[in-house]
Amino acid sequence: RKEVEQDPGPFNVPEGATVAFNCTYSNSASQSFFWYRQDCRKEPKLLMSVYSSGNEDGRFTAQLNRASQYISLLIRDSKLSDSATYLCVVTPPPPGGSYIPTFGRGTSLIVHP
Amino acid sequence: DAGVIQSPRHEVTEMGQEVTLRCKPISGHDYLFWYRQTMMRGLELLIYFNNNVPIDDSGMPEDRFSAKMPNASFSTLKIQPSEPRDSAVYFCASSLGQGIGGYTFGSGTRLTVV
């Protein structure tokens, strides 16, 4: 099983739709979780951290389910500008002890008019 | 803050040549990461440093790859000799501590080996 798994998509949705992505991780001792956004031919950029209690930032909501080992990202009222690849990041503990970021392959979102 | 700065942005080289990629992390960040991104494999961690010391280089593909961090504000990733399969986008990222606040990426170096 891969450490971090995401559905590659693409998710093709109309403007105004609500869309959700999940990301599963294999190491239950993982510590920190993030969602990153990557536009075509650009670097990944932090979208939001994911907290155990769940967190919201405008139209974006992130949640963590430790029991089932997945994180989720919900985007409400999708905009054309939301079209991008969304990368899930998990920090599992390696033998050395440092929690190092492991990226999923990303989920592609296409928002159309 | 200028963010993480990488150079060059693009590099085209012939097989067998030496390639050096450069990175300047955000001032004050004590972790530095080198990633490689390809369509086939996504983002792969090559090596990371903590306080200029290489901690884990198990992701470095082979001996042709080497990385150094001579001081807190500069790191290099060198490929010698380069091969066509090394063609990818190489990202440098830095963080404060073990990334509780996330990781900041540079713009990347798009390497093409012909």
Side-chain angles (χ1 to χ4, degrees):
Chain A
R1 180 181 176 188
K2 294 180 183 177
E3 285 202 78
V4 182
E5 293 200 65
Q6 295 182 252
D7 180 344
F11 285 63
N12 205 318
V13 303
E15 271 187 293
T18 295
V19 62
F21 313 133
N22 281 344
C23 166
T24 59
Y25 60 95
S26 59
N27 192 320
S28 60
S30 296
Q31 186 181 60
S32 302
F33 306 86
F34 306 91
W35 282 103
Y36 273 69
R37 170 192 170 128
Q38 186 172 25
D39 293 289
C40 187
R41 302 180 76 85
K42 298 286 190 181
E43 72 273 22
K45 292 185 178 178
L46 179 64
L47 179 64
M48 58 197 304
S49 302
V50 186
Y51 304 122
S52 297
S53 56
N55 49 302
E56 188 174 310
D57 183 3
R59 298 182 293 107
F60 298 83
T61 300
Q63 291 191 316
L64 167 63
N65 186 316
R66 283 195 180 273
S68 300
Q69 294 181 209
Y70 74 88
I71 66 172
S72 64
L73 177 68
L74 180 78
I75 306 175
R76 291 181 298 278
D77 189 22
S78 300
K79 311 292 185 190
L80 295 177
S81 57
D82 294 334
S83 298
T85 297
Y86 291 84
L87 303 167
C88 159
V89 185
V90 175
T91 54
S98 291
Y99 287 78
I100 296 306
T102 301
F103 283 75
R105 294 289 303 277
T107 297
S108 175
L109 171 65
I110 301 170
V111 182
H112 58 82
Chain B
D1 196 324
V4 177
I5 299 173
Q6 289 187 247
S7 64
R9 291 294 302 273
H10 302 274
E11 177 80 35
V12 180
T13 191
E14 291 185 347
M15 183 173 60
Q17 296 298 305
E18 177 179 295
V19 176
T20 300
L21 312 181
R22 297 173 176 79
C23 175
K24 175 179 168 54
I26 290 175
S27 177
H29 280 192
D30 54 347
Y31 279 81
L32 183 141
F33 308 85
W34 281 101
Y35 283 90
R36 177 172 69 176
Q37 188 174 38
T38 61
M39 288 293 291
M40 292 295 293
R41 300 173 70 90
L43 266 169
E44 301 174 277
L45 178 65
L46 301 176
I47 184 172
Y48 76 94
F49 296 82
N50 177 216
N51 292 321
N52 315 339
V53 177
I55 304 301
D56 185 350
D57 65 354
S58 60
M60 297 284 260
E62 47 199 91
D63 292 346
R64 298 184 298 104
F65 285 69
S66 62
K68 294 181 180 179
M69 192 166 186
N71 57 62
S73 59
F74 184 65
S75 177
T76 60
L77 178 68
K78 187 174 292 186
I79 308 173
Q80 165 65 13
S82 57
E83 297 182 2
R85 60 192 167 120
D86 302 330
S87 298
V89 181
Y90 291 81
F91 287 107
C92 173
S94 70
S95 71
L96 180 62
Q98 291 185 22
I100 299 300
Y103 310 87
T104 304
F105 282 75
S107 300
T109 295
R110 185 170 297 273
L111 173 65
T112 304
V113 183
V114 298

